Amino acid sequence: LIGIAIGMAGFWLFFHHQHQRDEPLFDVSLFYANRVFTMSCLASVIMYTATFANIVLVSLYLQYLRGMTPAYAGFVLMAQPFVMACVSPYAGKLSDRVEPRVISSIGMGLTSLGLLLLASIGDATSIGLIVIYLAVTGLGFSLFSSPNANAIMGAVGTHHYGIAASSVATMRVIGQVSSMGIVAMVFAVVLGPVQITPAVYPQLQTALTLSLGLASVLCLPGIYLSLVRGRMRAT
């Protein structure tokens, strides 16, 4: 928790420092002047924080707690990226006709549901159900990511496209790093510095459940930010 607080304070100081510079390393001016852009970027951070580590977590579950080979586990995990690859292009096109905040909020809600379902898996959960849960998570991410990126890019003028594109990448990396940081914190508290052996499988199950449950709850403020970002287009 102390590390999270220090990290948040560091981000605030960096943004404040860059906002005062005439030639900033990272131009943060849009975050202070454009509500749609700012809320969309914050929602993106939350989404990547919630979802980036889930494939790693489910992989640990499949290989250690269910005894699958890496190849078989990878085949099961393909359910999520497969759905993402199929749905994302159509979600992006849909956001050209429907407000991105609506589609993105639905997507983050589905993602939260998928992560919550993954948090419930145990020894008796069928592989078919796990595939469905991964597909739900992938569907939610697809409905969020493309429309949200559309909202970020569409909220700025053409002369700010470079800043907006770099912000999309920056928010993604911040979210990914934060996701693994939260998982590392949970594993450190629940498991500690031990090698994963059958003796600690109960603790591993607890760590996986807690990590995925936290990810699901984390989506809730993301849904709020996505909904209140404002309209990208006039009615």
Side-chain angles (χ1 to χ4, degrees), residues 96-110:
D96 290 331
R97 300 190 297 273
V98 181
E99 274 292 319
R101 71 186 180 95
V102 175
I103 306 172
S104 295
S105 300
I106 293 173
M108 189 168 285
L110 284 173

Side-chain angles (χ1 to χ4, degrees), residues 88-144:
S88 290
Y90 298 99
K93 292 180 180 179
L94 181 62
S95 67
D96 290 331
R97 300 190 297 273
V98 181
E99 274 292 319
R101 71 186 180 95
V102 175
I103 306 172
S104 295
S105 300
I106 293 173
M108 189 168 285
L110 284 173
T111 301
S112 180
L113 173 62
L115 291 170
L116 184 62
L117 291 171
L118 288 173
S120 70
I121 60 179
D123 293 339
T125 307
S126 69
I127 300 303
L129 276 179
I130 295 173
V131 169
I132 292 174
Y133 298 165
L134 288 167
V136 171
T137 306
L139 175 61
F141 188 89
S142 300
L143 291 175
F144 173 85

Side-chain angles (χ1 to χ4, degrees), residues 107-234:
M108 189 168 285
L110 284 173
T111 301
S112 180
L113 173 62
L115 291 170
L116 184 62
L117 291 171
L118 288 173
S120 70
I121 60 179
D123 293 339
T125 307
S126 69
I127 300 303
L129 276 179
I130 295 173
V131 169
I132 292 174
Y133 298 165
L134 288 167
V136 171
T137 306
L139 175 61
F141 188 89
S142 300
L143 291 175
F144 173 85
S145 59
S146 296
N148 193 70
N150 188 7
I152 293 174
M153 300 302 295
V156 303
T158 56
H159 57 292
H160 282 141
Y161 278 174
I163 299 173
S166 64
S167 297
V168 171
T170 301
M171 298 305 109
R172 179 177 64 249
V173 172
I174 291 174
Q176 291 171 343
V177 172
S178 300
S179 182
M180 296 308 299
I182 291 174
V183 169
M185 180 182 67
V186 171
F187 272 58
V189 172
V190 177
L191 276 171
V194 299
Q195 183 177 357
I196 298 179
T197 62
V200 297
Y201 280 1
Q203 291 90 333
L204 176 60
Q205 177 70 69
T206 300
L208 295 173
T209 300
L210 183 57
S211 296
L212 290 164
L214 285 174
S216 176
V217 172
L218 185 59
C219 289
L220 299 181
I223 296 172
Y224 171 77
L225 291 173
S226 183
L227 284 172
V228 303
R229 75 179 76 185
R231 300 183 67 87
M232 194 179 80
R233 294 180 289 267

Side-chain angles (χ1 to χ4, degrees), residues 20-97:
Q20 304 301 319
R21 304 277 75 80
D22 294 330
E23 297 182 2
L25 176 66
F26 179 59
D27 191 343
V28 299
S29 59
L30 288 174
F31 288 90
Y32 291 84
N34 191 319
R35 178 185 177 88
V36 174
F37 175 83
T38 302
M39 293 299 184
S40 299
C41 285
L42 291 176
S44 180
V45 171
I46 291 177
M47 175 59 96
Y48 280 101
T49 300
T51 59
F52 183 69
N54 82 298
I55 289 295
V56 176
L57 295 171
V58 178
S59 175
L60 292 174
Y61 163 82
L62 293 175
Q63 293 184 69
Y64 284 103
L65 302 182
R66 299 300 290 267
M68 290 186 182
T69 64
Y72 190 15
F75 182 75
V76 173
L77 293 170
M78 282 180 61
Q80 181 171 319
F82 177 77
V83 172
M84 290 166 59
C86 292
V87 176
S88 290
Y90 298 99
K93 292 180 180 179
L94 181 62
S95 67
D96 290 331
R97 300 190 297 273

